[in-house]
Amino acid sequence: MRPLNIAVLGATGSIGRQTLDVIDRNPERFKLFGLTEGVRSANRKVEYTISGQSGVGDFDARVEAMVTDARCDLVVVAIPGARALGPTLAALRAGKEVALATKEVLVMAGALVMKAAGARGIRPVDSEHSAIWQCLWGEELENVRRLVITSSGGPFWAHPDMDLDQVTVEQALNHPRWSMGPKVTVDSATLMNKGLEAIEAHHLYRMPLGRISVCIHPQSVVHSLVEFVDGSFKAQLGRPDMRLPIAVALAYPDRLPDAVPQTSIKELSGLEFYDLDERRFPSVGLARRAAAEGGGNPAVLNAANEEAVNAFLAGEIAFSRIVPIVEEALGAFPGGGESLEEILEADRWARGWIRENFGTVRRA
Ligand SMILES: NC(=O)c1ccc[n+]([C@@H]2O[C@H](COP(=O)([O-])OP(=O)(O)OC[C@H]3O[C@@H](n4cnc5c(N)ncnc54)[C@H](OP(=O)(O)O)[C@@H]3O)[C@@H](O)[C@H]2O)c1
């Protein structure tokens, strides 16, 4: 059988580079077919190399041509934010397999994206969703009581006395367990990442939000759990290394030998679990409310958060302002439907509203 032709969107990023690593180490199974890069270069000779620095229209058209190319089998989506939505929909509508890292795509337009995916579904790359996916293999969804998404708690959970007004960018980017891009690392510090992941899981596994919970698990060994109606739990465990969920997504339904170094059983000991303190970290509750409201609200949540995180990274607002700004944007949103146009309009509205009301907040 010929190797799977893979296109990687965001090949120079944290997920993108680790995906290239998995592809490179398995040349008999995978072939890098095409890629997009941003300000950095991936330095690869492939069928398509598309620069994120080209104009938006040109970038979108070229990415669409790549992901719908008859020779392309699988598309890995790892460009952060709203920019990944169009290419994901194009790939799914062309019948391609999609391995999705960019959770924002499902947060903004989960219903549309899952409809485009149809029975084929989407291969999750996020470690939590990969864990849930693996726990669900061979199970009936009607036998699931709830999904439990684990969180390391980020850099501030273990410091309850820390004044979140004083947090520096450097402190927020210092994640205790995972090495990731800046946007998702700040989302891990506010725990908005878990709010976005709850919405992502709701769409991926067609699970009501009320049956998805978040718990703190500082060791990041259990990547998430599924509880079944009979009282059993299934969990997926492993070292915090994104190459594992990437390998699972690329090789499905097979498994790649030695995708990551073997873990000793001692590394899996001393596991702790705590309830999430929703008063200190209100982001998960906010995300749930936005998803329950539906329409353009999740897109507003996502866009306002992206703008606020960028403003924090640029030193323009305090860390503790990120989530309240998102809440204010949701409160001001006049509402809107769930068509692609309306979702993109909600995204534009949120960015415009933030620029108008918090003048110093810069473009993403
Ligand atoms: N990193 C993780 O462990 C992890 C885990 C789970 C989910 N995710 C999700 O995966 C996605 C990617 O995360 P990441 O950590 O890999 O991000 P990252 O390290 O910041 O990389 C982002 C990639 O997208 C490119 N890019 C950025 N903005 C772009 C734009 N406007 N147009 C075109 N290309 C653009 C970047 O290019 P340049 O760098 O060359 O500019 C880079 O290739 C995010 O949605 C994140 O939430 C990440």
Side-chain angles (χ1 to χ4, degrees):
M1 219 168 64
R2 71 164 173 81
L4 212 58
N5 274 332
I6 300 179
V8 181
L9 311 187
T12 49
S14 166
I15 293 290
R17 281 180 283 120
Q18 294 179 84
T19 303
L20 299 196
D21 183 49
V22 173
I23 294 173
D24 289 345
R25 287 194 291 121
N26 295 277
E28 70 295 345
R29 288 174 185 255
F30 308 129
K31 182 169 177 233
L32 183 62
F33 172 70
L35 57 87
T36 76
E37 49 196 18
V39 293
R40 295 172 282 184
S41 165
N43 289 319
R44 297 295 181 115
K45 273 188 87 71
V46 287
E47 289 288 334
Y48 291 84
T49 298
I50 302 167
S51 169
Q53 291 185 291
S54 42
V56 176
D58 187 38
F59 177 81
D60 288 350
R62 294 182 64 204
V63 173
E64 185 164 338
M66 172 172 73
V67 302
T68 58
D69 187 309
R71 295 167 295 171
C72 176
D73 301 309
L74 186 147
V75 179
V76 177
V77 181
I79 301 176
R83 193 123 190 224
L85 178 55
T88 306
L89 282 171
L92 290 170
R93 286 175 180 154
K96 308 299 182 185
E97 293 288 344
V98 168
L100 184 67
T102 311
K103 59 198 86 194
E104 298 90 326
V105 162
L106 283 170
V107 171
M108 288 179 73
L112 278 178
V113 171
M114 293 313 293
K115 188 169 171 215
R120 204 173 52 254
I122 286 180
R123 303 183 186 191
V125 169
D126 231 348
S127 57
E128 295 78 2
H129 302 80
S130 176
I132 292 168
W133 190 40
Q134 294 174 63
C135 292
L136 289 175
W137 289 349
E139 301 285 355
E140 297 295 332
L141 272 183
E142 65 197 32
N143 288 333
V144 173
R145 181 176 285 155
R146 66 177 174 138
L147 310 179
V148 184
I149 298 174
T150 54
S151 163
S152 70
F156 309 129
W157 172 81
H159 305 284
D161 297 330
M162 192 165 176
D163 180 357
L164 297 182
D165 284 337
Q166 306 301 325
V167 164
T168 64
V169 169
E170 196 186 7
Q171 287 171 319
L173 291 181
N174 186 21
H175 194 279
R177 298 280 170 195
W178 297 92
S179 162
M180 308 179 286
K183 154 72 169 58
V184 62
T185 306
V186 176
D187 283 348
S188 299
T190 60
L191 266 80
M192 182 59 88
N193 197 31
K194 295 298 139 183
L196 301 178
E197 286 174 2
I199 301 176
E200 187 184 3
H202 161 66
H203 290 295
L204 277 173
Y205 306 115
R206 297 183 167 86
M207 188 62 52
L209 279 154
R211 286 165 55 196
I212 303 175
S213 54
V214 172
C215 78
I216 304 293
H217 167 52
Q219 292 77 22
S220 296
V221 165
V222 173
H223 297 309
S224 278
L225 309 92
V226 175
E227 184 184 354
F228 294 91
V229 288
D230 60 1
S232 301
F233 280 89
K234 272 167 91 172
Q236 187 262 339
L237 288 73
R239 59 173 70 206
D241 184 333
M242 284 306 293
R243 287 172 305 169
L244 191 49
I246 292 168
V248 170
L250 299 194
Y252 176 80
D254 207 354
R255 288 199 181 259
L256 292 181
D258 303 316
V260 292
Q262 201 175 353
T263 307
S264 78
I265 202 76
K266 273 195 286 189
E267 287 178 70
L268 306 179
S269 62
L271 304 181
E272 300 165 287
F273 299 91
Y274 301 93
D275 287 336
L276 172 68
D277 177 352
E278 298 224 12
R279 279 225 316 243
R280 188 156 182 251
F281 294 103
S283 46
V284 175
L286 189 61
R288 275 186 209 288
R289 289 200 295 280
E293 287 281 326
N297 283 281
V300 170
L301 173 94
N302 176 62
N305 180 56
E306 214 172 289
E307 292 283 338
V309 168
N310 280 323
F312 166 68
L313 289 171
E316 293 167 352
I317 61 167
F319 175 82
S320 57
R321 285 291 292 140
I322 297 174
V323 176
I325 286 178
V326 177
E327 185 165 18
E328 286 169 48
L330 281 165
F333 180 50
E338 273 178 358
S339 71
L340 182 58
E341 256 326 298
E342 287 167 309
I343 286 166
L344 293 175
E345 179 48 36
D347 178 272
R348 280 191 292 273
W349 176 89
R351 294 176 200 280
W353 187 87
I354 287 204
R355 275 197 299 282
E356 225 170 84
N357 290 277
F358 303 91
T360 56
V361 177
R362 301 192 314 182
R363 276 297 288 129

